[in-house]
Amino acid sequence: MIIIHNLDKSFSGTEVLRDIDLEVSDGSIYGLVGYNGAGKTTLLNLIGGLYRPDTGEILADIGEDRVKVTGSERFKRECFCVFDEPYYLPQSTPDAMARYYGGFYPNFSKEIFDKLCRIFGFDKNKRINSFSKGMKRQAAISFALASKARYLLLDESFDGLDPGVRQTVRELMVEYMAETNASVIMASHNLHELEGVCDTVGLLNRQNIVFSCDIDDARAKYRRYRVGFSEVVNVSKLEKLDLGNLRCDGKVISFVSGKTPEQLRGELSQFGTVLLFEDYPMNLEEIFRYETTRGGEGIEISGLFS
């Protein structure tokens, strides 16, 4: 388990992360989502022990102990980081890098690495610097999975991968988590990439984690509604109901809400006879956009080029 409590981080007076509280359980894949520049990579660097927090602490379970991540060699030997631009030793081959990682990670499996080379189809004796971006990413993921580390930190893990390889990576991650009981954190700005693999998701926005919850719970909580009345609705009176992304087209309104359909029917009936009441599930991308705009109308672009 990873536990983060009251974490803050700034660079040259610019606040990047503020008051971060987060728990990642054993045997789970946690999706960390946010726009580019939201602080995802910084948070991964902090968890991986590459940065020191200004305030707060990061704890992780190692064996029977719970240790502070910062400065802990025990944690580093149980944590593998795959960042957006993986670094490899000059002129190195996958086989050479496997030997390098095998000298640091106590549970590194050359047998697993060789199997992953065959699955991804890259030459383990060819220089990595000659690989395409996607092949470099596949090599990095192979090193991470072969390490059998208890904690995997993956930044934009699907970047540069074709659709077929992305699905293979999803399946490998789920299998890895299930067999090792590892804690995996996957950071991305693309919700589609995380939706089919993560069981928990956290949204990083405005230097803070806006919400963190089980994906199934998030889907159950947020729904989009379309309601039709027998007469034109006074929109200003609806504002007191705290309906997100409220839009009105004469007698028909649409909005987002976390309230139950039964509760909404009762509240809306005071504004007239309800003739139409439809609700639709929202995918993670829609929930993400709703939360990052805090239920607002988003960016206004109408007439921008006129």
Side-chain angles (χ1 to χ4, degrees):
M1 172 177 280
I2 293 176
I3 301 173
I4 302 175
H5 184 58
N6 289 343
L7 182 143
D8 296 330
K9 185 63 180 178
S10 299
F11 294 99
S12 301
T14 299
E15 187 178 54
V16 179
L17 297 172
R18 180 184 70 253
D19 196 26
I20 299 292
D21 287 298
L22 175 65
E23 289 190 6
V24 181
S25 303
D26 294 334
S28 68
I29 301 179
Y30 187 94
L32 182 65
V33 298
Y35 289 127
N36 292 329
K40 302 186 301 297
T41 299
T42 297
L43 182 55
L44 290 185
N45 276 313
L46 286 161
I47 297 172
L50 302 179
Y51 293 162
R52 290 179 178 270
D54 297 334
T55 59
E57 61 181 1
I58 306 172
L59 305 174
D61 293 335
I62 302 295
E64 299 299 322
D65 302 323
R66 180 161 291 176
V67 302
K68 288 187 177 182
V69 163
T70 305
S72 171
E73 183 175 337
R74 291 179 64 194
F75 175 78
K76 290 180 179 179
R77 291 183 182 273
E78 289 290 343
C79 178
F80 198 108
C81 306
V82 177
F83 291 110
D84 193 23
E85 297 183 5
Y87 172 80
Y88 301 105
L89 297 175
Q91 308 303 315
S92 62
T93 65
D95 203 49
M97 287 300 298
R99 292 194 298 272
Y100 171 80
Y101 286 123
F104 184 80
Y105 292 97
N107 298 319
F108 191 93
S109 172
K110 184 62 163 55
E111 181 181 358
I112 291 176
F113 177 73
D114 289 342
K115 290 180 180 179
L116 291 169
C117 288
R118 292 193 292 271
I119 289 173
F120 287 121
F122 59 79
D123 187 346
K124 64 181 181 180
N125 296 308
K126 188 177 180 179
R127 286 191 302 110
I128 299 178
N129 286 339
S130 69
F131 286 6
S132 67
K133 180 178 181 180
M135 294 300 288
K136 288 179 179 178
R137 178 73 60 184
Q138 292 170 46
I141 293 171
S142 297
F143 296 134
L145 296 176
S147 74
K148 299 183 71 175
R150 183 169 179 176
Y151 301 103
L152 296 186
L153 308 179
L154 309 168
D155 192 9
E156 302 295 350
S157 311
F158 299 98
D159 192 23
L161 302 181
D162 62 51
V165 175
R166 291 184 184 192
Q167 182 57 35
T168 298
V169 171
R170 291 188 184 97
E171 294 173 358
L172 287 169
M173 288 298 170
V174 172
E175 187 68 17
Y176 182 87
M177 180 270 294
E179 292 191 12
T180 65
N181 201 39
S183 299
V184 181
I185 301 178
M186 303 181 72
S188 178
H189 65 279
N190 191 325
L191 273 296
H192 292 299
E193 295 175 346
L194 299 179
E195 194 160 7
V197 65
C198 298
D199 44 46
T200 310
V201 64
L203 174 58
L204 187 60
N205 189 41
R206 297 182 179 89
Q207 297 86 43
N208 193 258
I209 293 181
V210 177
F211 74 86
S212 179
C213 64
D214 180 273
I215 287 180
D216 291 336
D217 291 342
R219 290 185 180 131
K221 176 181 177 181
Y222 296 92
R223 298 188 72 83
R224 184 175 299 281
Y225 291 87
R226 184 168 175 264
V227 180
F229 293 88
S230 58
E231 54 189 41
V232 176
V233 182
N234 187 332
V235 180
S236 61
K237 293 183 178 180
L238 291 171
E239 293 178 353
K240 66 179 183 180
L241 297 184
D242 190 27
L243 305 177
N245 289 357
L246 177 63
R247 292 178 174 83
C248 182
D249 182 16
K251 300 179 182 180
V252 180
I253 63 171
S254 62
F255 57 89
V256 173
S257 178
K259 299 177 182 178
T260 66
E262 293 74 17
Q263 184 179 2
L264 285 168
R265 283 180 180 274
E267 293 180 348
L268 292 171
S269 63
Q270 63 183 297
F271 301 101
T273 302
V274 176
L275 302 178
L276 171 72
F277 190 93
E278 300 174 336
D279 64 296
Y280 309 91
M282 296 173 65
N283 59 35
L284 281 183
E285 185 171 359
E286 291 173 321
I287 294 171
F288 170 75
R289 294 188 63 182
Y290 173 70
E291 282 291 343
T292 51
T293 57
R294 298 184 183 276
E297 295 296 329
I299 300 173
E300 178 57 53
I301 61 175
S302 177
L304 178 64
F305 303 106
S306 60

